[in-house]
Amino acid sequence: MIDIGKQWHVNHVVDDYRAVADWYRGVFGAVDVFTDQWLDPEKRWASMVAIADLAIDVMEPTAEGADLPLGKFLARFGSHLHASAYFVNSPPADIYDALTGTGVRCFGLAGTGRDAMVAQPMSPVFTHPRDTAGQLEFMPFSQARPGPLGVPGRWEDPRFVDGWSNEPWRTHPLAITGWRVGVVVRDLDRATDIYRALGADVVAKDDGKDAERSRLELGANTTVELIKPLTENSVAGGDLARNGEIMHSCIFETGDLAAAEAHLLAHDIVIAERDADRLITDPASCHGAAFEFVAAEPA
């Protein structure tokens, strides 16, 4: 079993990374993890921001990388959440072997294979999205200032610095008290088994009129919410119908759902669905990403 630690980030692939990073700063009070980083193997620019202790890597593939995985993703899906990345306490070749041993197809940066992972022991491993109900990324962890490709010193992730606190987001108008990663799936049992094989535990289920949902705890600090839509006439159902099983949403728990809604509306974000305990944004007003806000459960 892969030893999964903390969430590293969620990928948001877009066509203008600077504009979208600014949008996260303005709407969510996001702070910078790094800015304006070029990664040559993927031919893309990126800035990473943090909302509480959830990081979002805003990536813009360039025309030069049109035939590489991120470029192909943007061409096929447009701006959209892309993958969920985790720190792991294993070298990439071991991760590759563990996953392929269970039938999960894997690759490295820009579609490279196992030999490249052996040559670069601090590089990420990506799963084939069809094998893991959406793409997952596993990044070997360097305790000393984790940075791009785990190289210490390239940048300092503020979430790993003494004094880091999520309190600014609790007092923000969105009143964020926690977060989850949302994935749309066709077969809830199959997707749950995939995550269980990675060490996840089911902690809650919620069968609503529009979707069946299963919450799982994975690694050190991540809750994954698997969403099986029951209709295509919903944000999740439309995403699944258009794009298949995919990283769908960031789900934020809020201490004040009404205040969160007012803040989103003030930033010209369209609320596509709402009920007493949950609201869901229209991806068209959020650079192709869906965001859900759910009333925090009483402590």
Side-chain angles (χ1 to χ4, degrees), residues 6 31 44 66 88 110 121 150 160 184 240 253 265 285:
K6 289 186 176 182
V31 299
R44 55 85 171 155
V88 293
F160 293 83
V184 287
L240 183 64
E253 298 163 8
L265 292 173
S285 66

Side-chain angles (χ1 to χ4, degrees), residues 181-206:
V181 174
V183 183
V184 287
V185 302
R186 293 189 180 90
D187 186 330
L188 195 59
D189 290 338
R190 172 184 175 271
T192 299
D193 287 344
I194 289 168
Y195 276 89
R196 279 183 169 143
L198 294 170
D201 295 314
V202 177
V203 295
K205 291 188 176 182
D206 178 16

Side-chain angles (χ1 to χ4, degrees), residues 100-117:
T100 55
T102 63
V104 173
R105 290 167 287 178
C106 304
F107 55 91
L109 283 174
T112 56
R114 189 181 187 279
D115 289 346
M117 298 174 195

Side-chain angles (χ1 to χ4, degrees), residues 71-251:
K72 290 179 178 179
F73 181 92
L74 181 62
R76 179 176 177 184
F77 300 105
S79 294
H80 199 286
L81 296 176
H82 168 255
S84 186
Y86 300 90
F87 285 121
V88 293
N89 299 311
S90 307
D94 289 358
I95 300 166
Y96 178 92
D97 291 342
L99 291 168
T100 55
T102 63
V104 173
R105 290 167 287 178
C106 304
F107 55 91
L109 283 174
T112 56
R114 189 181 187 279
D115 289 346
M117 298 174 195
V118 173
Q120 290 187 298
M122 293 302 293
S123 61
V125 180
F126 302 88
T127 68
H128 193 295
R130 292 183 183 175
D131 294 344
T132 49
Q135 188 168 81
L136 302 176
E137 177 182 354
F138 299 106
M139 180 70 212
F141 180 71
S142 174
Q143 186 64 43
R145 297 175 66 188
L149 308 189
V151 179
R154 285 285 297 279
W155 46 260
E156 189 170 54
D157 190 325
R159 298 172 297 164
F160 293 83
V161 175
D162 289 343
W164 173 260
S165 171
N166 291 339
E167 187 60 27
W169 287 276
R170 296 188 185 98
T171 57
H172 185 275
L174 291 174
I176 292 171
T177 61
W179 54 269
R180 313 169 197 165
V181 174
V183 183
V184 287
V185 302
R186 293 189 180 90
D187 186 330
L188 195 59
D189 290 338
R190 172 184 175 271
T192 299
D193 287 344
I194 289 168
Y195 276 89
R196 279 183 169 143
L198 294 170
D201 295 314
V202 177
V203 295
K205 291 188 176 182
D206 178 16
D207 294 342
K209 64 182 180 65
D210 292 328
E212 298 175 2
R213 295 171 178 257
S214 183
R215 267 183 274 161
L216 302 94
E217 290 183 349
L218 176 66
N221 71 331
T222 305
T223 300
V224 177
E225 188 156 313
L226 301 176
I227 306 164
K228 178 186 176 182
L230 301 177
T231 173
E232 293 185 9
N233 297 321
S234 65
V235 174
D239 198 9
L240 183 64
R242 288 188 302 272
N243 302 317
E245 295 185 323
I246 197 168
M247 171 74 194
H248 169 67
S249 62
C250 293
I251 303 169

